[in-house]
Amino acid sequence: AGTNPFAPHQFVLDTSVANSSTGAANVTGFVFTFAANKTYLIDFAGVFTSAAVTTGLNMGLDVSTGVTQVAWYSLFPFTVSGAPQGGTQVIDDTAQTTSAGVFSSGASGMPIFGHGILRSAATGGTCQLRFRSEITGSAITIVSGSAWRVMLMN
């Protein structure tokens, strides 16, 4: 029996990755190759920390080539009460604008969830999960154990 092309690709972050820049950084290993004319669902569940309660984060997708559709939504705690907030974000190279402050900082971490869809065009390519700090010099860390799942739909 061959491999199932529709089986999800699952990735778990082995080592925490930090970014103290407002420029996007890759979440190490959270990249996949997409085929031409296919649709993929993308899910992320993880934990992040912030160097300061006033520093927010941004997370999104970067694709290596033009696609028919790519959309991403992140959901994370935003207030002291932990009420979930979210922001849509598609990263075309480094164009990022959506970010959010966090209600806590330090090692305990806060949950973050992301969901997306990618419909490729006539050419395949790669899709990379990226993130950035809201404030230069103030680190955001995606904590080891965070997980990413990509599912081919057609």
Side-chain angles (χ1 to χ4, degrees):
T3 59
N4 178 359
F6 296 99
H9 299 280
Q10 300 173 119
F11 308 89
V12 175
L13 189 61
D14 291 330
T15 304
S16 297
V17 59
N19 185 5
S20 296
S21 170
T22 57
N26 294 340
V27 178
T28 308
F30 285 22
V31 60
F32 73 96
T33 300
F34 57 86
N37 302 309
K38 298 292 181 184
T39 300
Y40 298 84
L41 293 182
I42 304 162
D43 293 310
F44 172 82
V47 173
F48 74 97
T49 61
S50 175
V53 296
T54 56
T55 301
L57 81 155
N58 170 271
M59 182 173 270
L61 303 174
D62 182 44
V63 294
S64 63
T65 187
V67 297
T68 301
Q69 177 185 46
V70 61
W72 177 260
Y73 179 83
S74 299
L75 183 68
F76 36 80
F78 187 70
T79 64
V80 174
S81 66
Q85 299 290 318
T88 59
Q89 185 63 192
V90 174
I91 301 175
D92 182 7
D93 296 323
T94 58
Q96 300 178 60
T97 56
T98 306
S99 61
V102 296
F103 68 92
S104 182
S105 63
S108 61
M110 288 73 65
I112 184 169
F113 302 95
H115 303 285
I117 186 168
L118 183 147
R119 289 179 50 221
S120 60
T123 304
T126 59
C127 179
Q128 169 75 57
L129 185 63
R130 304 190 87 194
F131 75 109
R132 70 170 182 93
S133 176
E134 180 184 39
I135 299 171
T136 297
S138 188
I140 294 291
T141 301
I142 306 298
V143 178
S144 64
S146 295
W148 199 38
R149 180 177 55 197
V150 178
M151 296 171 285
L152 174 64
M153 301 307 293
N154 66 335

